[in-house]
Amino acid sequence: MFKEKFDLSGKTALVTGSTRGIGKAIGDAFEEYGAKVIRHNTKVCDLSDPAAIEVFFDALERGGSLPDILVANASIQAKVPWTQFPMDEARKELQVNFLATLRMFQRCYPKMKRQGWGRLIVLGSVNERRPHPDMCVYAATKSAQENLVRGIARQVAAEGITVNNLSPGVFYTDRNKECLADPVYGPKVTAAIPMHRYAMPEDAAGAALLLASDAGSYITGATIMVDGGLCLPG
Ligand SMILES: NC(=O)c1ccc[n+]([C@@H]2O[C@H](COP(=O)([O-])OP(=O)(O)OC[C@H]3O[C@@H](n4cnc5c(N)ncnc54)[C@H](OP(=O)(O)O)[C@@H]3O)[C@@H](O)[C@H]2O)c1
């Protein structure tokens, strides 16, 4: 039965930032398909603190809960023109959105290699293709992640590990709620999306499930845009 290829029974998935927004929708879908999902947010492990990442992964390792599937979903973004962007904020975005992902990949890889099966998934952004003028730093961290995915995917492809980038467009989550509710800005944003609607968090879950399961086992090094056509040329 083909649908069994989506089954995640027996798999442990760590989805960062999974108590709300897109991460929660992905975690819920993985649970529905049988995975044990480790829910994470700032209180569980603040990804801006490199030492906290080590403590968190040490505990997972000791508890035999290192993930078979990692979804690096948590991120931060500040809307500030690049000329005034505070360097401390830039360093924090680089840490949370990129360096934490690299370190989590490193911590997950040995187990995945040993067992000959693993899934490393990052959440990118349409900003990789169309950087918002006041979010150049955020866009750059997402592009760095995308490049990391491509670089690693080739090296681990023969080990049963896939590495992919899922890039959302405009989603209705806490970080966007206010903008989308604005009577002028909201309609302007949706008009620019070929589907003429923004997405809800669960709109990202199908692509994540595909990438996390055996149904997507031949997909690696890919960026999957989940953007209602926003990045299409024209
Ligand atoms: N929403 C969109 O339109 C959109 C568009 C393009 C790309 N994306 C990407 O999709 C992913 C999910 O976005 P979202 O809108 O669903 O996010 P969100 O609603 O803003 O939620 C962010 C999650 O990340 C966690 N987080 C933030 N900073 C953290 C830190 N320093 N340490 C640990 N966890 C931290 C938050 O934990 P707390 O609950 O503890 O704060 C929360 O669970 C992100 O990578 C984002 O860049 C989103």
Side-chain angles (χ1 to χ4, degrees), residues 17 20 22 42 46-47 73 75 124 138 142 169 171 173 175-176:
R20 59 195 173 100
I22 293 171
T42 315
D46 186 343
L47 298 175
N73 165 80
S75 87
Y138 169 77
K142 293 294 188 179
F171 277 64
T173 65
R175 69 178 67 193
N176 282 337

Side-chain angles (χ1 to χ4, degrees), residues 4-233:
E4 283 165 13
K5 286 183 181 282
F6 288 93
D7 186 24
L8 298 180
S9 301
K11 303 282 194 263
T12 297
L14 167 61
V15 184
T16 65
S18 51
T19 53
R20 59 195 173 100
I22 293 171
K24 180 178 184 312
I26 291 173
D28 291 350
F30 284 7
E31 262 172 13
E32 206 175 313
Y33 277 79
K36 176 188 157 202
V37 176
I38 301 167
R39 299 283 175 169
H40 162 272
N41 62 13
T42 315
K43 287 189 199 109
V44 174
C45 166
D46 186 343
L47 298 175
S48 69
D49 177 359
I53 298 174
E54 304 307 329
V55 170
F56 180 49
F57 272 83
D58 287 349
L60 292 178
E61 202 162 356
R62 275 198 308 275
S65 295
L66 279 174
D68 308 295
I69 301 162
L70 170 71
V71 182
N73 165 80
S75 87
I76 51 170
Q77 61 187 58
K79 265 191 195 162
V80 184
W82 71 271
T83 47
Q84 286 129 50
F85 206 92
M87 288 311 293
D88 281 351
E89 181 60 32
R91 281 187 203 97
K92 192 173 174 191
E93 286 198 13
L94 193 64
Q95 169 59 34
V96 174
N97 302 358
F98 175 71
L99 295 174
T101 300
L102 170 62
R103 187 60 190 137
M104 290 191 291
F105 277 16
Q106 289 175 335
R107 293 295 308 250
C108 291
Y109 173 62
K111 177 193 172 186
M112 292 178 178
K113 184 181 177 183
R114 254 191 329 271
Q115 67 189 15
W117 197 98
R119 297 287 183 267
L120 298 169
I121 302 166
V122 304
L123 270 286
S125 168
V126 286
N127 275 272
E128 290 151 20
R129 304 284 182 277
R130 298 167 53 127
H132 184 289
D134 291 343
M135 293 202 292
C136 293
V137 174
Y138 169 77
T141 63
K142 293 294 188 179
S143 293
Q145 243 195 179
E146 185 187 26
N147 211 304
L148 182 73
V149 160
R150 278 203 303 275
I152 293 176
R154 174 178 281 278
Q155 298 180 56
V156 302
E159 297 170 345
I161 303 169
T162 65
V163 196
N164 289 292
N165 178 35
L166 192 171
S167 283
V170 181
F171 277 64
Y172 188 80
T173 65
D174 291 343
R175 69 178 67 193
N176 282 337
K177 272 181 181 159
E178 220 172 288
C179 294
L180 293 173
D182 184 292
V184 178
Y185 189 73
K188 213 172 119 188
V189 170
T190 41
I193 302 167
M195 284 190 186
H196 290 162
R197 66 176 177 89
Y198 51 74
M200 297 307 287
E202 45 287 5
D203 287 314
L209 180 63
L210 174 67
L211 296 175
S213 65
D214 283 332
S217 62
Y218 204 60
I219 306 171
T220 200
T223 287
I224 299 189
M225 310 300 305
V226 183
D227 68 349
L230 183 57
C231 284
L232 291 171

